[in-house]
Amino acid sequence: MSGIYTVEEVAKHNTDKDVWIIVHGNVYDVTGFLNDHPGGKKVLVKVAGKDASKQFDQFHNAAVLNQYGPGLLKGKIGSASAAPAAPKAAAAPAAVSYDTPAVGLEEGDAFGEIIPYGDPAWYTGFSPYYNDSHRKLRSFMRNFVEKEIMPHAHVWDEAKELPRELFLKAGKAGILQSVIGHPYPAKYSDVPPPCGIKAEDFDAFHEFVVCDELSRCGSGGVLWGLIGGLGIGLPPIMNFGSDYLKEKVAPSCLSGQKNICLAITEPSAGSDVANLVTEAKKTADGKHFIVNGEKKWITNGTYADYFTVAVRTGGPGMNGVSLLLIERSMPGVKTRHMPCSGVWASGTSFVSFEDVKVPVENLIGQLNKGFKCIMYNFNHERMGIAIQATRFARVCVEESLKYAHKRKTFGKKLIDHPVIRNKLGHMIRKVEATHAWMESLIFQTTRMPGEMQMLKLGGPIALLKAQSTQTMEFCAREAAQIFGGLSFSRGGQGEKIERLYREVRAYAIPGGSEEIMLDLGVRQSIKVSQFLGAKL
């Protein structure tokens, strides 16, 4: 920014050769941007020398200024008598901190933009699940996402990749360490939990806050690209792997220097995990496994350094499945990017293993006992999907409410049409009900032993997963109807809605399709009830 200008000074720059505009108190020279403006240069020339804030808000979202504004900014509007500030000596760049601004730290304090139902109920009220540390973490995560992700999500998704710098920043902030379950992996990271939270105090609701706030970016591709593979690929090693494997893999993945993914799904076996066919045969000397097979739709597989792979080491069915850590550097490992309808930045890939020689030390857990490890991992994976899908549904509510207060049809704002309020009402009731069930189940995980969680929570979490993805699908559709043609165009005001509508299937199918989840939820709950003595 180079100076302070009066409205009268800006008004002088009002020709097609010299176009300055005012947007929310800032002055922009858009002369060199005329030919690049998607709406054509005449749109800008019409507001040359004027305050274009109203027109800007009507047709753009704030991310546009984040992307193009810095290169066009001339200064800001101020008094003609205001003296220019004396130039300051250049200071060394300050260390990045996401602790400030710290807001909403007291129970009951309003936090966020206070858009009705745009955030969970506890953001403006009270809850038995959260304490001061959760509120501090909420503020920390909001700052991180607003600064490091929101301005870039669309560009990264369109580019179909994330910058390595984002992984490193997330590692330095303690975010990557916060999404692999608890306890917090202090032994394998020199970065403590954010906001001064003690590692021993880090609980499931802290992880919930981290994942929920990250999901505000409204991009499954960015979210999966950053934490998708890590959140499901590293936990099996942390929960069942040897100390050797933990030391080998965890530090570099938690710091953001390397990536890991989970490779279970195959061209012929998706939800039917017990019938996977990728095989691992021991060599004659018993020192290695030779792995052959293919994996498909593997999140982060395009750039992963490590693969947590389900293989068949025994007979048919679940009792012949094991987990192996396979490294990209091993000869015979090949990956190729898979073009998908959504989650573009997630690095979804087809992975092939051709005579890959894997040391027996890379066995995760016990031989032929991998199915149990996979099932144990599913609760965490499915809860993560539910958290993301529910927040994405909430993003649809938030974006729709904002747009409905701005867009006018037939002489009045959209929000003044009963049919629009009806749509929003149905969206809201589904989101709030799903979120409340989710918090209830997360609370159970903070009180229930791990083995008991596998028995008693597998069914409810499966049902929650289906509930959350169907809620996301409903809200994405209704939001698309509210946004109209804007929801059919990539970028712009409908950016998040268009993207989330494409990404619904990426949430409804992976981690167990809705049909499988609904059936599993009922079957498993009946079995548990009968085991506990129910007379059915």
Side-chain angles (χ1 to χ4, degrees):
M1 182 156 44
S2 58
I4 303 296
Y5 300 91
T6 64
V7 172
E8 292 75 17
E9 287 176 319
V10 174
K12 297 175 183 178
H13 302 270
N14 61 0
T15 71
D16 59 358
K17 304 295 183 183
D18 183 21
V19 181
W20 287 22
I21 62 173
I22 302 168
V23 178
H24 298 310
N26 288 325
V27 179
Y28 298 92
D29 180 357
V30 297
T31 311
F33 185 68
L34 293 178
N35 292 327
D36 296 322
H37 185 242
K41 65 181 181 181
K42 288 190 176 181
V43 174
L44 293 176
V45 173
K46 283 182 180 180
V47 292
K50 302 175 183 177
D51 190 324
S53 300
K54 184 177 180 180
Q55 294 91 330
F56 177 86
D57 289 340
Q58 185 176 358
F59 297 107
H60 302 85
N61 61 31
V64 172
L65 282 182
N66 292 328
Q67 182 178 357
Y68 297 104
L72 305 173
L73 187 64
K74 291 292 293 183
K76 64 188 304 181
I77 294 297
S79 169
S81 60
K88 296 181 179 179
V96 177
S97 172
Y98 309 106
D99 293 304
T100 56
V103 295
L105 304 185
E106 297 294 327
E107 187 174 21
D109 282 357
F111 179 83
E113 296 183 38
I114 323 179
I115 304 297
Y117 305 100
D119 279 312
W122 72 281
Y123 280 42
T124 54
F126 301 85
S127 171
Y129 301 124
Y130 307 96
N131 58 35
D132 290 347
S133 68
H134 298 107
R135 286 184 285 274
K136 289 179 181 178
L137 181 60
R138 176 182 64 183
S139 181
F140 177 94
M141 288 304 305
R142 182 65 58 106
N143 293 335
F144 181 91
V145 172
E146 291 288 345
K147 177 177 176 58
E148 304 294 353
I149 298 180
M150 282 289 203
H152 316 292
H154 177 65
V155 174
W156 291 340
D157 201 64
E158 292 287 314
K160 299 180 175 60
E161 65 177 342
L162 303 181
R164 175 55 50 184
E165 184 182 16
L166 179 64
F167 294 94
L168 297 175
K169 286 180 178 179
K172 290 179 181 178
I175 293 172
L176 299 184
Q177 298 85 334
S178 300
V179 298
I180 62 168
H182 56 284
Y184 186 89
K187 182 178 179 181
Y188 302 98
S189 174
D190 57 4
V191 177
C195 310
I197 301 169
K198 295 180 180 179
E200 59 269 24
D201 293 334
F202 189 87
D203 63 21
F205 280 102
H206 289 113
E207 181 176 4
F208 178 30
V209 170
V210 169
C211 188
D212 184 47
E213 281 291 323
L214 283 174
S215 302
R216 284 187 59 254
C217 70
S219 171
V222 171
L223 194 60
W224 283 15
L226 179 61
I227 65 170
L230 178 73
I232 60 178
L234 189 57
I237 294 175
M238 302 302 290
N239 292 322
F240 302 102
S242 64
D243 290 340
Y244 162 75
L245 288 180
K246 294 175 186 176
E247 292 285 357
K248 179 182 183 69
V249 174
S252 59
C253 289
L254 295 174
S255 67
Q257 295 173 316
K258 292 189 176 183
N259 297 98
I260 189 170
C261 67
L262 181 68
I264 294 179
T265 302
E266 300 182 350
S268 59
S271 296
D272 189 12
V273 176
N275 287 316
L276 58 85
V277 297
T278 295
E279 67 174 5
K281 292 185 176 181
K282 267 191 179 180
T283 55
D285 60 9
K287 294 182 178 181
H288 294 85
F289 291 99
I290 303 300
V291 179
N292 284 281
E294 296 81 32
K295 299 292 181 178
K296 197 172 184 180
W297 299 293
I298 305 306
T299 302
N300 296 179
T302 301
Y303 50 82
D305 301 282
Y306 302 109
F307 302 79
T308 298
V309 185
V311 296
R312 185 160 301 285
T313 50
M318 65 180 69
N319 293 323
V321 175
S322 299
L323 285 180
L324 286 179
L325 175 72
I326 297 181
E327 303 166 50
R328 179 176 290 275
S329 59
M330 294 175 175
V333 177
K334 297 179 181 178
T335 64
R336 61 176 174 83
H337 177 259
M338 291 182 63
C340 298
S341 61
V343 293
W344 291 348
S346 66
T348 302
S349 70
F350 186 94
V351 185
S352 62
F353 304 108
E354 299 177 1
D355 295 325
V356 181
K357 194 174 183 180
V358 183
V360 294
E361 290 80 8
N362 283 27
L363 178 68
I364 302 170
Q366 298 179 359
L367 187 68
N368 295 326
K369 300 295 183 182
F371 192 79
K372 179 181 178 181
C373 302
I374 295 170
M375 293 300 104
Y376 185 91
N377 201 50
F378 266 143
N379 274 0
H380 183 259
E381 177 181 1
R382 288 166 182 163
M383 181 59 77
I385 290 173
I387 293 170
Q388 295 168 36
T390 304
R391 172 56 89 161
F392 286 161
R394 194 180 291 280
V395 167
C396 291
V397 171
E398 179 183 4
E399 293 294 306
S400 296
L401 271 165
K402 289 178 178 178
Y403 183 68
H405 279 80
K406 181 168 60 173
R407 169 72 167 167
K408 287 185 177 181
T409 61
F410 305 104
K412 57 183 178 181
K413 294 179 179 179
L414 281 183
I415 196 64
D416 293 327
H417 293 282
V419 67
I420 299 299
R421 295 197 300 272
N422 182 271
K423 286 180 178 295
L424 287 164
H426 285 300
M427 293 164 69
I428 290 165
R429 67 177 177 82
K430 288 175 179 285
V431 171
E432 290 301 313
T434 306
H435 190 98
W437 189 13
M438 186 162 56
E439 286 181 321
S440 175
L441 290 178
I442 292 174
F443 179 75
Q444 298 300 315
T445 69
T446 67
R447 297 294 189 271
M448 197 178 292
E451 290 296 323
M452 184 66 71
Q453 291 180 36
M454 288 185 63
L455 175 68
K456 298 188 70 174
L457 298 184
I461 289 176
L463 292 175
L464 173 68
K465 195 260 184 186
Q467 167 71 13
S468 68
T469 57
Q470 290 191 357
T471 296
M472 176 185 173
E473 181 165 16
F474 178 86
C475 291
R477 183 197 184 280
E478 293 299 272
Q481 293 301 109
I482 292 171
F483 271 80
L486 290 176
S487 69
F488 197 62
S489 307
R490 298 218 304 269
Q493 293 181 90
E495 168 204 324
K496 292 179 182 178
I497 305 305
E498 183 276 331
R499 185 168 55 231
L500 291 175
Y501 190 85
R502 280 190 286 108
E503 294 181 340
V504 167
R505 297 271 69 80
Y507 281 81
I509 297 172
S513 68
E514 290 175 350
E515 293 77 10
I516 297 295
M517 292 296 92
L518 292 167
D519 180 64
L520 173 66
V522 175
R523 285 191 297 106
Q524 189 159 342
S525 296
I526 290 173
K527 286 182 179 179
V528 171
S529 295
Q530 290 174 330
F531 176 78
L532 295 176
K535 300 185 185 301
L536 293 173

